[in-house]
Amino acid sequence: MTFLISRALADPNADVRGRMVDAGIMIIDKHGRDNVSLLFPIFENFLNKKASDEEKYDLVREGVVVFTGALAKHLSKDDPKVHTVVEKLLEVLNTPSEAVQRAVSTCLSPLMQSKEEEAAALISRLLGQLMKNDKYGERRGAAFGLAGVVKGFRISSLKKYNVMITLRDGLSDRSSAKSREGALLAFECFCEKLGRLFEPYVIQLLPLLLVSFSDPVAAVRDAAEGASRAMMSQLSAHGVKLVLPSLLKGLDDKAWRTKQSSVQLLGAMAFCAPQQLSQCLPKIVPKLTEVLTDTHPKVQSAAQTALQQVGSVIKNPEISALVPTLLMGLTDPNDYTKYSLDILLQTTFINTVDAPSLALLVPIVHRGLRERSAETKKKAAQIAGNMCSLVTEPKDMIPYIGLLLPEVKKVLVDPIPEVRSVAARALGSLIRGMGEENFPDLVQWLLDALKSDGSNVERSGAAQGLSEVLAALGTEYFEDLLPDIIRNCSNPKASVRDGYLSLFKYLPRSLGVQFQKYLQQVLPSILDGLADENESVRDAALSAGHVLVEHYATTSLPLLLPAVEDGIFNDNWRIRQSSVELLGDLLFKVAGTSGKALLEGGSDDEGSSTEAHGRAIIEVLGRDKRNEILAALYMVRTDVSLVVRQAALHVWKTIVANTPKTLKEIMPVLMNTLITSLASSSSERRQVAGRSLGELVRKLGERVLPLIIPILSKGLRDSNPSRRQGVCTGLSEVMATAGKTQLLTFMDELIPTIRTALCDSTPEVRESAGLAFSTLYKSAGLQAIDEIVPTLLQALEDEQTSDNALDGLKQILSVRTTAVLPHILPKLVQLPLSALNAHALGALAEVAGSGLDFHLGTILPALLATMGEGAEDAQQLSKKAAETVVLVIDEDGTESLISELLKGIADSQASIRRSSSYLIGYFFQNSKLYLVDEAPNMISTLIILLSDSDSATVAVAWEALLRVVSSVPKEILPSYMKLVRDAVSTSRDKERRKKKGGPVLIPGFCLPKALQPILPIFLQGLINGSAELREQAALGLGELIEVTSEKALREFVIPITGPLIRIIGDRFPWQVKSAILSTLSIIIQKGGMALKPFLPQLQTTFVKCLQDNTRTVRSSAAFALGKLSALSTRIDPLVGDLLSGLQASDVAIQEAILTALEGVIKNAGKSISSVVITRVYTQLKDMIYSEDDQIRSSAASIMGFSLQYLESAQVSEVLAEVADSTSSSTWTTRHGSTLAISYMLRHNAAIVCAAPSFTSIIDSLKKSLKDEKFPVRESSARAFGRLLLYQVRNDPSNTSAHVATLNYVVLGMQDDSSEVRRRALSALKAVSKANPQGILVHILLFGPALAECLKDSSTPVRLAAERCTLHSFQLSKGTEYVQAAQKYITGLDARRIAKFPEHSDDSEDGEDGEDKTIG
């Protein structure tokens, strides 16, 4: 030790000194514990010794302090020397020697057990030196010391003494570069001293460390670099994974220095943790590649260097040699991607590819897959597929699947087939190399792509890819999936069918011979696809078929041939076409010909085949099978489909060298095939066989006819109905093909054969026989009809054969309607019509269709007559037949049909009218013709028929009307309004003439749901029509309601009233409102309590209309409101509202309100409370004297009604007042008072006559009878007339009172004013009608005056006198009265007036019409 201290520690070379210090520490560590007592005095001696060269000796002292520290750890924990040693060690930390500082740091750690109590102060002291000391060496020493102290106090002290918080704050202190540098120095020393224990803090500090790389102070940047080196050297594999996200994030930092530092750190990782780095390379390399294009050159340079460092990790020698090329591809992808791919494809790999190699390869392949160039995409896909076979471990590829697979999928749907093919193989290679578990969604994605609605290219690529993938996954996987594939070949969506059928195009190529065993399962789906309605599906199926034939024609011929043969006879022409093409492919393959020769022009029998081809086919197939196939092929040469015919002809001409010779060879088989096909259940197959038979006849003519016809005739006796049907089809073809002259020879055999077939028990046979008859008719003409139709008609009468014979008639009628119908109808329509004939007519009508247009006049009368009379079964069958007839008529026959039905409606027989009505309804309800133009006439006719005398006819007409109206579009209905109103009016007049008085109701509108047929017409017009149309609709509804019974109306009250209220509330012209109000009044009168739900709305509506600007609307509303009040239970509020409106309104509206009030009191006065009546009396008593004539009259009338509801005191008061007012100086007051008396006598004469003031009232009336104003005199005359009327009715024996009152009436008859005279005459007439004998006894009083009035110069007076004379002289009672009247009037006048109708003036009798007339 003495040597080390005296010689080595004083060495001028720092490296020598450092190594010597390390050697001394090792000696002390090994032998120190045993020599503590020996060594301490030596160390103390050297420390206290004085030297001549103090500066040089300081180096010795530093080394001794380190040795002392190393020795101190062997001291006991409580030894006081430890504290001294620690202090000296801390002093030595200021020595600017990294080796010394590192040694001191190492020495400090063990001694910290003795310094637990001073830990906080010690750490705080070192942190202070670290952050604040001016010298770099001191700050670095403090960092080493802090690391040693923390290690001694254990890692938990970092948190306990807030070391990391202080360092983080220092690192973030932008004002002090020393603090930032010191923190980074501490960070570096912690990584070095604490190793992986410090790793969790590295993750936290990393963002700040990266920021420090871009610090403006160079010293801080250097410190950051040192810290990063230390960090990387100590990180574990887990630490690398934790650090990597922060570093990668640093690449996105805006500061170029941070980017550069992140790149540098990533590059440095290649040297410090290569094993760990290889796991993270898939993330690093793409990011570094992005940074290569950074705007800052230093960042680019750092990325280039980092990638080179990554490349240096590669162990594969082939890839290692290509690193410069690969880096060029990464650096400049636009120019070098294709070049790099070419180099890779040219390289022969002997060694496996490791993970770092993949890290450089994959980005280039990924870029290649995304190129536009098809060639580049192919190469990239090829390399991607090959990778799996080159890698050491397939799992090394797993990180790249997410990057490569989406691009391979895109290439798989490339428009170029070759590119798709390479991509498909690449997918197969990937899944084969890495296993299905690494591609969990790939098969499902491919299956979904097969179902895509996109282009065919997408589905084709998916099919190709799936075929390769299934080949890679093995046959077991394919067998599990096959049922699903087959099921989707018949999916409802065409795109799905297309995709899955395309799969069968590629599976033979990918699975090879293995696919052969699945042909039996797959072929039906392909054949179904050949018949698909979608062209792309058919193309996919046909392509698949061609591929199957190409691959398996020789190996699987017994399997393919039966399926193709069946397809030739399939019902679907597309399957037949494709089957013929596939059969051609098979035969071409067997014969050794391409089948691509163009065969244009020449005869159908001229082919391009050779005898050698024929022999080859016989050799492979055998002669029998060859004959069967050629027979089938020959038959489909006459297929119903042109494309099938063309395909069959092409195949025939390609493989048959000599047609006549071949036909001769195959004739027995051909005839058997034709007969079998003629008996087939497929109509098309039968037809093809028939046509083929026809072709044979045409080519071989008379040589085959004698053989064919007997065979066919004999065939009708076959027990199999299908064969019998085939015979008929064959007969048609033979007759159509053979010449007329040839056929005439066989007529005796043909006609009975067809006649028998027409009565066959099977409908299909009869149908084919009908077609044969049509062909026969062309040749035989009327002979065919004359020999067949009578037999069928005769067979109709036999119950056993009638049904078959009828169907036979239907069949020949369906093919020869015009020719046959005139021969059948006369026999069938003979009256009386039997049930059998009625049934036959109906059945034949179905077939004859529009052919009946010209025979309606023959058929319909017979059916109409039988529908209503005769046996029940005949009636029902006639009805059914008539229904059929009307429905088969076309547009041209509509006019004739309507004409016949209208004739029936006008018939005198009720049963025919009923039948015609029913057929009209049935026709309009069920016909598909456009009948809107015919509907108006029918609607009008049927409405008039609703008043028919026969109730059953009315019911049927109503039902027919409902059907006709229902058949017309709603928007057209309003145009029928006028027509319907006219028809209703006509029907009403017809009913009125029958009833001769009383309410007129149309029987059809008294049925249940009476208005249902025509109500929509009015409602449509009311709701959607023009203003004029709405008015017509409202008026029409009123007219309709008047002729409808109350019971029938009840259920329609709400549907009618609702729209009326809604329309009247809108802004429509007054004419519309007036019409609606008029109709509402009628509904109120007829509907009664059915209107209860609408009472509030109606009341509000009427009250509102009282304020209308138009007098007509106001008057109508007033009248309606009066009628409505009879239904209302709460009258007081209504009267109150009217009285309130009376005060605030102008004169015109007051008139309307008064009219309404009059109606309310008249109809519902009993329901008004005494308080409200008093209010009426109070408010109206002054209005009696109003200057307005109408108001005066209305107020007087209301007062007359109200008198019965007033209390006796009020009665006395009002009577006294009106009596006094007759003497007023104002004539309007006098007039109002006499009017009031007149109305009181009209409505409440008993109260007036019993009143104490009765005498004064009579006196005032006498006085008024002499007033200067004629209106006053007229109202006085009216009052006396009403008084007399009351007297003769209620007190007929009091003749003296009668005479007194009659005298005043007679005075009125002698008045100067014609109005007064007319009023007096009307009063006398009313009294005479009420009590003829009671008034006749006073003839002496009124006779002379009446005689004078008959001579009056005023026409109205004379007319009134004539009516009065008729009743008062009782002229209508007999000649004795006429004789008696001649005492006063001339005999001529008496006889003339006696002829007047007695009730013709009822409307004038009650005085209602003249109550409010003034003069």
Side-chain angles (χ1 to χ4, degrees):
M1 288 304 296
T2 306
F3 165 75
L4 277 173
I5 295 168
S6 59
R7 298 291 296 276
L9 293 181
D11 196 276
N13 188 288
D15 187 41
V16 172
R17 288 199 304 276
R19 289 177 182 274
M20 289 302 176
V21 168
D22 291 342
I25 291 170
M26 287 177 69
I27 292 168
I28 292 167
D29 285 345
K30 195 161 183 75
H31 305 288
R33 184 178 296 279
D34 300 330
N35 298 291
V36 171
S37 56
L38 173 66
L39 291 176
F40 251 113
I42 296 171
F43 294 162
E44 285 177 359
N45 183 37
F46 273 104
L47 285 173
N48 296 327
K49 184 179 177 183
K50 299 289 182 183
S52 56
D53 188 353
E54 282 293 327
E55 187 177 341
K56 187 178 180 181
Y57 196 67
D58 281 344
L59 299 173
V60 175
R61 285 195 190 98
E62 287 168 6
V64 172
V65 169
V66 173
F67 291 159
T68 307
L71 186 62
K73 67 185 176 187
H74 298 301
L75 295 173
S76 66
K77 188 176 177 183
D78 303 326
D79 195 314
K81 287 182 180 178
V82 173
H83 298 289
T84 310
V85 171
V86 169
E87 283 301 319
K88 286 187 177 181
L89 286 171
L90 290 175
E91 287 175 17
V92 174
L93 277 175
N94 292 330
T95 305
S97 167
E98 189 173 319
V100 172
Q101 290 169 343
R102 189 173 275 110
V104 170
S105 176
T106 304
C107 295
L108 279 172
S109 299
L111 303 178
M112 288 302 106
Q113 293 178 1
S114 306
K115 301 289 281 183
E116 290 284 356
E117 294 176 3
E118 301 171 29
L122 185 57
I123 288 173
S124 178
R125 172 181 162 189
L126 287 169
L127 283 170
Q129 291 174 4
L130 179 70
M131 301 290 192
K132 294 174 183 172
N133 279 16
D134 292 333
K135 293 181 180 177
Y136 170 78
E138 293 175 359
R139 291 201 300 279
R140 187 164 181 77
F144 274 113
L146 186 61
V149 167
V150 168
K151 187 174 182 181
F153 288 136
R154 293 174 300 281
I155 192 75
S156 59
S157 61
L158 286 174
K159 185 174 181 183
K160 186 176 179 181
Y161 302 114
N162 296 325
V163 175
M164 290 310 295
I165 293 173
T166 307
L167 287 177
R168 194 179 283 109
D169 291 345
L171 202 54
S172 305
D173 188 356
R174 306 316 298 169
S175 61
S176 171
K178 291 176 185 176
S179 297
R180 300 197 296 277
E181 185 186 15
L184 289 165
L185 291 172
F187 185 18
E188 179 185 351
C189 293
F190 281 156
C191 288
E192 189 178 305
K193 294 299 290 181
L194 300 176
R196 292 182 181 177
L197 292 174
F198 190 63
E199 202 169 83
Y201 293 100
V202 169
I203 313 304
Q204 296 176 20
L205 289 170
L206 195 63
L208 291 171
L209 177 64
L210 288 170
V211 171
S212 300
F213 272 103
S214 58
D215 199 277
V217 180
V220 177
R221 296 199 296 273
D222 292 341
E225 196 173 334
S228 67
R229 280 197 301 272
M231 178 192 80
M232 289 300 169
S233 65
Q234 297 297 328
L235 276 181
S236 64
H238 180 66
V240 170
K241 289 180 181 177
L242 292 174
V243 165
L244 202 54
S246 297
L247 292 179
L248 293 175
K249 190 178 178 184
L251 294 179
D252 297 327
D253 199 284
K254 290 183 180 177
W256 68 269
R257 292 183 191 277
T258 306
K259 280 187 187 178
Q260 184 186 16
S261 58
S262 298
V263 171
Q264 288 168 341
L265 277 174
L266 290 170
M269 291 171 89
F271 297 103
C272 59
Q275 185 58 39
Q276 294 89 320
L277 180 66
S278 66
Q279 298 168 14
C280 305
L281 279 175
K283 294 180 183 176
I284 293 171
V285 173
K287 282 287 185 181
L288 289 175
T289 308
E290 289 177 18
V291 178
L292 283 172
T293 58
D294 196 84
T295 53
H296 202 285
K298 289 189 178 180
V299 176
Q300 290 179 17
S301 175
Q304 189 79 28
T305 305
L307 283 170
Q308 287 170 356
Q309 290 168 341
V310 170
S312 67
V313 184
I314 292 170
K315 295 189 176 106
N316 179 287
E318 291 89 9
I319 298 291
S320 187
L322 295 175
V323 165
T325 303
L326 298 177
L327 289 178
M328 284 164 61
L330 291 172
T331 310
D332 191 356
N334 291 332
D335 293 336
Y336 289 100
T337 297
K338 186 174 181 299
Y339 174 72
S340 301
L341 293 172
D342 288 340
I343 294 292
L344 283 168
L345 284 172
Q346 291 165 16
T347 304
T348 304
F349 287 92
I350 299 167
N351 300 282
T352 54
V353 176
D354 57 356
S357 302
L358 285 176
L360 293 183
L361 284 176
V362 170
I364 292 172
V365 174
H366 179 253
R367 171 74 188 211
L369 290 169
R370 297 174 65 185
E371 285 285 328
R372 284 189 179 181
S373 163
E375 199 61 35
T376 306
K377 282 191 277 193
K378 269 173 61 180
K379 290 173 180 176
Q382 193 174 341
I383 293 169
N386 292 341
M387 276 184 186
C388 285
S389 57
L390 296 174
V391 292
T392 316
E393 289 287 339
K395 66 179 182 182
D396 290 341
M397 274 292 288
I398 292 173
Y400 302 104
I401 289 174
L403 185 69
L404 291 177
L405 190 58
E407 300 307 323
V408 176
K409 286 179 179 177
K410 288 178 187 172
V411 177
L412 190 62
V413 294
D414 192 86
I416 298 171
E418 289 179 22
V419 177
R420 295 200 298 273
S421 179
V422 174
R425 288 198 295 275
L427 274 182
S429 299
L430 285 170
I431 210 162
R432 190 179 287 108
M434 300 179 66
E436 187 197 357
E437 63 277 3
N438 290 312
F439 301 88
D441 301 322
L442 178 59
V443 174
Q444 190 55 51
W445 178 83
L446 289 166
L447 290 170
D448 290 343
L450 281 182
K451 300 175 184 176
S452 162
D453 289 333
S455 66
N456 284 354
V457 167
E458 189 176 341
R459 293 191 293 274
S460 176
Q464 212 163 346
L466 185 60
S467 69
E468 293 290 344
V469 167
L470 291 175
L473 292 173
T475 53
E476 191 176 335
Y477 192 96
F478 173 67
E479 285 170 3
D480 291 341
L481 195 61
L482 185 58
D484 184 58
I485 294 171
I486 291 171
R487 188 169 58 253
N488 276 296
C489 286
S490 55
N491 192 285
K493 286 182 70 175
S495 57
V496 178
R497 300 195 298 276
D498 177 30
Y500 277 85
L501 282 167
S502 299
L503 194 56
F504 294 134
K505 182 178 173 182
Y506 301 108
L507 283 170
R509 293 167 184 166
S510 58
L511 291 175
V513 182
Q514 289 178 325
F515 188 68
Q516 193 168 318
K517 60 183 174 183
Y518 308 113
L519 285 178
Q520 214 156 3
Q521 293 171 260
V522 168
L523 278 172
S525 298
I526 293 175
L527 290 173
D528 288 344
L530 294 173
D532 202 273
E533 58 189 18
N534 186 282
E535 189 177 354
S536 67
V537 178
R538 296 197 301 274
D539 291 344
L542 190 56
S543 296
H546 285 309
V547 170
L548 292 180
V549 169
E550 184 185 337
H551 277 73
Y552 309 115
T554 50
T555 56
S556 301
L557 190 62
L559 202 60
L560 290 171
L561 200 55
V564 174
E565 276 188 278
D566 289 344
I568 289 178
F569 294 116
N570 196 283
D571 288 352
N572 192 296
W573 68 267
R574 291 193 172 100
I575 290 186
R576 295 201 299 277
Q577 178 199 357
S578 305
S579 298
V580 168
E581 289 179 14
L582 291 175
L583 177 64
D585 282 359
L586 274 171
L587 293 175
F588 299 156
K589 198 95 172 169
V590 168
T593 178
S594 69
K596 293 179 181 176
L598 290 174
L599 305 171
E600 294 181 1
S603 163
D604 284 355
D605 300 333
E606 291 176 12
S608 66
S609 181
T610 65
E611 294 291 337
H613 293 158
R615 283 196 299 274
I617 292 172
I618 292 172
E619 191 177 326
V620 175
L621 300 182
R623 188 171 293 278
D624 290 344
K625 178 55 75 175
R626 170 259 199 180
N627 289 352
E628 283 177 29
I629 288 172
L630 290 183
L633 194 59
Y634 185 81
M635 195 180 91
V636 291
R637 281 178 42 156
T638 56
D639 197 272
V640 290
S641 168
L642 174 64
V643 288
V644 179
R645 294 201 299 273
Q646 289 173 338
L649 188 60
H650 173 73
V651 176
W652 178 272
K653 291 170 78 173
T654 307
I655 63 168
V656 174
N658 186 331
T659 297
K661 180 183 174 185
T662 307
L663 277 177
K664 187 177 178 182
E665 289 174 7
I666 68 169
M667 184 60 74
V669 181
L670 175 60
M671 285 306 296
N672 185 50
T673 303
L674 289 173
I675 291 168
T676 306
S677 297
L678 284 169
S680 166
S681 59
S682 164
S683 61
E684 280 196 0
R685 187 172 172 184
R686 292 195 302 272
Q687 193 177 349
V688 171
R691 288 169 64 166
S692 187
L693 184 61
E695 188 180 346
L696 265 179
V697 171
R698 188 172 65 251
K699 285 188 174 178
L700 302 177
E702 293 180 356
R703 281 180 290 170
V704 292
L705 276 178
L707 297 172
I708 290 174
I709 291 177
I711 292 170
L712 292 174
S713 298
K714 187 180 176 184
L716 271 182
R717 294 193 289 277
D718 196 297
S719 60
N720 187 335
S722 296
R723 290 185 72 85
R724 296 201 301 275
Q725 185 184 1
V727 165
C728 292
T729 309
L731 276 172
S732 293
E733 286 299 330
V734 168
M735 289 188 292
T737 311
K740 189 172 181 180
T741 23
Q742 289 175 325
L743 285 179
L744 289 174
T745 316
F746 300 99
M747 276 301 164
D748 293 341
E749 203 166 346
L750 286 171
I751 288 176
T753 303
I754 292 171
R755 189 164 57 216
T756 306
L758 282 168
C759 292
D760 195 273
S761 59
T762 308
E764 290 80 8
V765 177
R766 295 196 294 271
E767 183 182 347
S768 297
L771 294 169
F773 171 84
S774 177
T775 314
L776 177 67
Y777 179 78
K778 287 179 186 175
S779 299
L782 286 174
Q783 182 188 352
I785 294 174
D786 292 341
E787 293 194 28
I788 290 176
V789 170
T791 310
L792 292 175
L793 288 171
Q794 192 175 354
L796 274 178
E797 296 171 7
D798 186 341
E799 286 187 12
Q800 291 182 345
T801 59
S802 62
D803 288 343
N804 294 343
L806 177 59
D807 193 56
L809 280 172
K810 283 171 66 176
Q811 298 304 332
I812 65 173
L813 196 59
S814 66
V815 293
R816 291 289 170 185
T817 307
T818 312
V820 177
L821 205 56
H823 290 78
I824 299 175
L825 285 181
K827 167 87 174 171
L828 295 179
V829 297
Q830 290 176 6
L831 291 175
L833 207 61
S834 68
L836 192 63
N837 284 5
H839 173 61
L841 279 173
L844 295 175
E846 286 179 19
V847 181
S850 57
L852 292 176
D853 288 357
F854 302 105
H855 302 282
L856 287 173
T858 307
I859 300 170
L860 271 181
L863 290 173
L864 288 171
T866 314
M867 279 172 71
E869 291 181 354
E872 188 175 344
D873 58 342
Q875 284 187 32
Q876 290 301 319
L877 289 167
S878 295
K879 180 181 177 184
K880 192 174 178 184
E883 289 173 352
T884 306
V885 168
V886 298
L887 290 186
V888 299
I889 296 303
D890 62 7
E891 286 183 14
D892 296 334
T894 304
E895 191 175 340
S896 305
L897 176 63
I898 297 289
S899 173
E900 287 297 325
L901 292 175
L902 288 175
K903 279 182 197 172
I905 281 182
D907 198 272
S908 58
Q909 250 182 292
S911 62
I912 292 180
R913 295 200 298 276
R914 272 199 305 278
S915 301
S916 301
S917 300
Y918 170 77
L919 281 183
I920 288 172
Y922 185 85
F923 177 50
F924 275 82
Q925 184 181 37
N926 298 290
S927 177
K928 291 183 172 63
L929 299 175
Y930 182 77
L931 299 172
V932 171
D933 296 336
E934 282 74 24
N937 191 14
M938 292 295 103
I939 291 172
S940 177
T941 304
L942 290 169
I943 289 174
I944 293 169
L945 200 61
L946 291 178
S947 59
D948 195 271
S949 55
D950 179 60
S951 59
T953 304
V954 170
V956 175
W958 182 90
E959 184 67 35
L961 179 62
L962 178 63
R963 290 177 170 185
V964 173
V965 174
S966 300
S967 72
V968 178
K970 284 185 178 180
E971 60 273 11
I972 296 175
L973 289 177
S975 62
Y976 299 162
M977 194 95 63
K978 184 177 185 308
L979 171 139
V980 171
R981 287 183 67 193
D982 291 346
V984 170
S985 175
T986 305
S987 193
R988 183 182 60 224
D989 293 344
K990 190 175 168 186
E991 198 61 31
R992 182 183 285 119
R993 285 193 293 275
K994 281 195 272 180
K995 292 197 83 170
K996 297 181 181 176
V1000 177
L1001 297 175
I1002 295 173
F1005 295 137
C1006 299
L1007 299 170
K1009 298 186 177 179
L1011 301 181
Q1012 190 177 347
I1014 61 173
L1015 187 59
I1017 297 172
F1018 292 104
L1019 289 181
Q1020 278 293 316
L1022 187 68
I1023 295 166
N1024 300 317
S1026 61
E1028 186 180 349
L1029 214 52
R1030 290 177 200 262
E1031 180 189 359
Q1032 294 300 316
L1035 292 171
L1037 277 171
E1039 294 161 2
L1040 195 59
I1041 292 162
E1042 283 181 330
V1043 295
T1044 305
S1045 68
E1046 291 182 14
K1047 184 180 178 183
L1049 178 66
R1050 205 167 293 144
E1051 66 177 292
F1052 294 99
V1053 166
I1054 290 175
I1056 293 172
T1057 309
L1060 288 171
I1061 293 173
R1062 192 162 67 250
I1063 299 300
I1064 201 173
D1066 288 343
R1067 296 181 177 178
F1068 286 109
W1070 67 267
Q1071 291 92 335
V1072 177
K1073 293 185 178 181
S1074 176
I1076 291 174
L1077 287 167
S1078 170
T1079 300
L1080 284 172
S1081 299
I1082 298 168
I1083 294 177
I1084 291 165
Q1085 285 176 298
K1086 276 213 167 187
M1089 289 314 293
L1091 276 170
K1092 193 171 182 182
F1094 289 111
L1095 287 180
Q1097 288 172 271
L1098 286 169
Q1099 188 170 301
T1100 306
T1101 301
F1102 294 156
V1103 170
K1104 184 180 176 184
C1105 287
L1106 291 175
Q1107 308 287 330
D1108 199 88
N1109 295 329
T1110 309
R1111 180 185 181 90
T1112 310
V1113 174
R1114 293 197 302 271
S1115 303
S1116 300
F1119 177 75
L1121 190 59
K1123 297 288 183 188
L1124 184 70
S1125 62
L1127 305 175
S1128 183
T1129 52
R1130 298 178 68 249
I1131 302 300
D1132 284 359
L1134 173 60
V1135 175
D1137 290 345
L1138 291 173
L1139 291 173
S1140 301
L1142 203 56
Q1143 293 174 327
S1145 307
D1146 59 22
V1147 172
I1149 292 170
Q1150 280 182 345
E1151 287 178 16
I1153 293 173
L1154 285 170
T1155 306
L1157 190 60
E1158 179 183 344
V1160 170
I1161 294 172
K1162 178 181 177 182
N1163 291 297
K1166 292 177 183 176
S1167 304
I1168 304 174
S1169 65
S1170 57
V1171 176
V1172 175
I1173 280 290
T1174 303
R1175 186 179 166 198
V1176 172
Y1177 160 67
T1178 308
Q1179 198 162 334
L1180 264 66
K1181 65 180 182 180
D1182 294 332
M1183 296 182 84
I1184 295 171
Y1185 314 121
S1186 169
E1187 292 185 2
D1188 184 88
D1189 294 343
Q1190 194 63 45
I1191 290 175
R1192 199 161 60 238
S1193 177
S1194 295
S1197 179
I1198 293 169
M1199 195 62 77
F1201 276 121
S1202 306
L1203 197 66
Q1204 60 188 310
Y1205 306 117
L1206 294 176
E1207 295 176 3
S1208 54
Q1210 291 172 323
V1211 171
S1212 301
E1213 181 186 342
V1214 71
L1215 288 175
E1217 186 178 336
V1218 294
D1220 292 344
S1221 299
T1222 54
S1223 305
S1224 171
S1225 58
T1226 309
W1227 82 268
T1228 53
T1229 305
R1230 298 198 301 276
H1231 182 231
S1233 60
T1234 53
L1235 269 178
I1237 294 168
S1238 172
Y1239 280 113
M1240 289 174 188
L1241 286 168
R1242 179 181 180 187
H1243 300 303
N1244 290 294
I1247 296 173
V1248 177
C1249 293
S1253 53
F1254 178 65
T1255 310
S1256 61
I1257 287 170
I1258 296 300
D1259 292 341
S1260 62
L1261 285 175
K1262 291 177 188 175
K1263 187 177 175 184
S1264 298
L1265 202 55
K1266 298 174 183 176
D1267 198 277
E1268 61 181 11
K1269 293 288 187 181
F1270 81 84
V1272 180
R1273 300 199 301 278
E1274 190 224 6
S1275 55
S1276 179
R1278 180 189 293 175
F1280 276 121
R1282 285 170 176 170
L1283 176 61
L1284 181 59
L1285 185 62
Y1286 171 74
Q1287 289 171 339
V1288 298
R1289 276 179 177 165
N1290 295 282
D1291 193 7
S1293 58
N1294 191 352
T1295 54
S1296 58
H1298 299 171
V1299 170
T1301 308
L1302 183 58
N1303 277 322
Y1304 296 115
V1305 174
V1306 172
L1307 278 174
M1309 290 164 62
Q1310 297 167 341
D1311 196 269
D1312 295 338
S1313 167
S1314 62
E1315 287 298 325
V1316 178
R1317 296 198 297 276
R1318 191 169 71 83
R1319 177 57 62 195
L1321 287 166
S1322 293
L1324 182 59
K1325 178 188 72 172
V1327 173
S1328 301
K1329 289 174 77 174
N1331 191 347
Q1333 295 303 323
I1335 203 67
L1336 194 59
V1337 296
H1338 306 298
I1339 193 169
L1340 292 171
L1341 281 176
F1342 64 80
L1346 185 54
E1348 285 301 316
C1349 287
L1350 282 171
K1351 304 170 188 172
D1352 201 288
S1353 59
S1354 169
T1355 303
V1357 173
R1358 282 201 312 279
L1359 292 173
E1362 288 174 353
R1363 303 302 309 168
C1364 184
T1365 302
L1366 176 67
H1367 294 288
S1368 57
F1369 286 171
Q1370 300 289 296
L1371 295 178
S1372 61
K1373 299 295 183 185
T1375 51
E1376 65 274 16
Y1377 289 96
V1378 174
Q1379 293 287 337
Q1382 289 180 17
K1383 293 179 183 178
Y1384 303 98
I1385 60 175
T1386 64
L1388 184 64
D1389 280 344
R1391 286 190 295 276
R1392 178 176 63 82
I1393 294 170
K1395 294 176 184 177
F1396 286 3
E1398 194 172 353
H1399 301 288
S1400 63
D1401 61 345
D1402 282 354
S1403 60
E1404 298 173 9
D1405 288 349
E1407 303 183 22
D1408 289 350
E1410 301 182 52
D1411 279 354
K1412 295 180 184 177
T1413 307
I1414 294 168

